[in-house]
């Protein structure tokens, strides 16, 4: 089996997992988008996934997104890139305007750094639902004020929330993100439409779909273990 065949087979299995979980939860399989996390994987792996019909790819490192998107820009149907990693303000220039969606906005400073680039940028706010000191993401208590800030911006739009849960049972964290979204969606804010919930990875994508994920971010089940 070639590497391309391996990736195509893995993608088919992941799509089937998503579809089965969606149907079991009474949701349409098309209501959940698959983001293939290509972090640390070569451009040829992305090409193989593109050939197997995958469109959206997630990257964690700003320069890697810049470099891979440049290499693959000439493909007949280039990838839709998403940025899903922690980001320092000085690296925003590599991402702004290149990512179809930035999943990891987690502070007013990062919001302002994107706005300063003056390019349209859809994004999600990453929430640290469990309050883990080691994890990125805004505290739930600070979320309303961060969402309020979007009203004053010209270029950024908030399309939803993102979560990386702690190790262990992710379900309560997924449910908490959804509850936060449902609560905040009751407030009308300019430039904010909380329709996306980005949650669920290789280990727990079924649970995330059951709890309302609209985007699952899957790396290992598609590309295998990442190089360290
Ligand atoms: C933010 C984020 N989402 C999703 C993934 C994919 O995780 P997995 O390989 O377990 O599917 C990663 C991997 O590093 C990640 O950093």
């Amino acid at each position: 089996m070639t590497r391309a065949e391996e990736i195509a087979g893995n993608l088919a299995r992941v799509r089937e997992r998503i579809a089965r979980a969606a149907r079991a939860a009474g949701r349409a399989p098309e209501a959940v988008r698959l983001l293939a996390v290509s972090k640390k994987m070569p451009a040829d792996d992305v090409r193989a996934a593109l050939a197997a019909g995958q469109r959206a790819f997630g990257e964690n490192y700003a320069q890697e997104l810049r470099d891979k998107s440049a290499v693959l820009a000439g493909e007949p149907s280039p990838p839709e890139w998403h940025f899903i990693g922690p980001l320092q303000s000085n690296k925003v220039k590599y991402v702004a305007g290149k990512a179809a969606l930035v999943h990891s906005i987690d502070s007013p400073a990062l919001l302002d750094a994107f706005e300063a680039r003056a390019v349209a940028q859809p994004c999600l706010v990453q929430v640290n639902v469990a309050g883990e000191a080691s994890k990125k993401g805004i505290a739930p208590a600070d979320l309303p004020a961060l969402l309020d800030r979007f009203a004053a911006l010209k270029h950024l739009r908030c399309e939803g929330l993102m979560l990386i849960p702690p190790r262990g049972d992710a379900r309560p964290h997924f449910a908490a993100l959804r509850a936060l979204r449902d609560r905040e969606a009751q407030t009308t804010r300019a430039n904010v439409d909380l329709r996306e919930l980005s949650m669920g990875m290789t280990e727990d994508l079924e649970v995330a779909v059951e709890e309302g994920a609209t985007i699952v971010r899957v790396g290992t089940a598609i590309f295998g273990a990442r190089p360290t």
Side-chain angles (χ1 to χ4, degrees), residues 37 39 60 84 162 164 201-202 217-220 226:
V37 176
K39 153 189 180 181
N60 281 58
I84 60 174
M162 181 269 219
I164 304 176
M201 307 192 272
T202 290
R217 310 178 307 265
V218 180
T220 309
R226 280 177 289 277

Side-chain angles (χ1 to χ4, degrees), residues 67-204:
D67 295 346
K68 240 180 254 177
S69 65
V71 168
L72 293 162
E75 292 296 306
S77 180
E80 172 189 303
W81 295 105
H82 291 221
F83 189 77
I84 60 174
L87 192 59
Q88 291 159 351
S89 297
N90 62 348
K91 304 268 177 71
V92 163
K93 58 179 180 281
Y94 301 133
V95 175
K98 292 193 182 66
L101 192 61
V102 173
H103 293 226
S104 44
I105 297 290
D106 63 356
S107 69
L110 193 54
L111 204 66
D112 293 346
F114 269 98
E115 182 64 21
R117 304 303 299 177
V119 289
Q121 183 61 71
C123 62
L124 308 180
V125 172
Q126 182 174 350
V127 187
N128 187 350
V129 169
E132 289 176 290
S134 64
K135 283 269 170 62
K136 302 284 284 181
I138 191 151
D142 297 331
L143 179 62
L146 190 66
L147 294 176
D148 288 345
R149 288 178 76 100
F150 279 87
L153 307 182
K154 289 196 173 60
H155 303 95
L156 265 75
R157 226 176 41 245
C158 180
E159 300 192 338
L161 305 179
M162 181 269 219
L163 167 73
I164 304 176
R167 287 188 169 279
D169 182 13
R171 189 184 296 277
H173 305 288
F174 293 154
L177 191 74
R178 183 188 183 153
L180 261 183
R181 190 277 304 272
D182 291 348
R183 189 188 77 194
E184 292 306 321
Q186 288 172 14
T187 303
T188 303
R189 297 177 172 96
N191 303 321
V192 176
D193 173 7
L194 299 176
R195 60 182 183 275
E196 305 283 6
L197 286 176
S198 168
M199 57 190 197
M201 307 192 272
T202 290
E203 290 296 318
D204 51 25

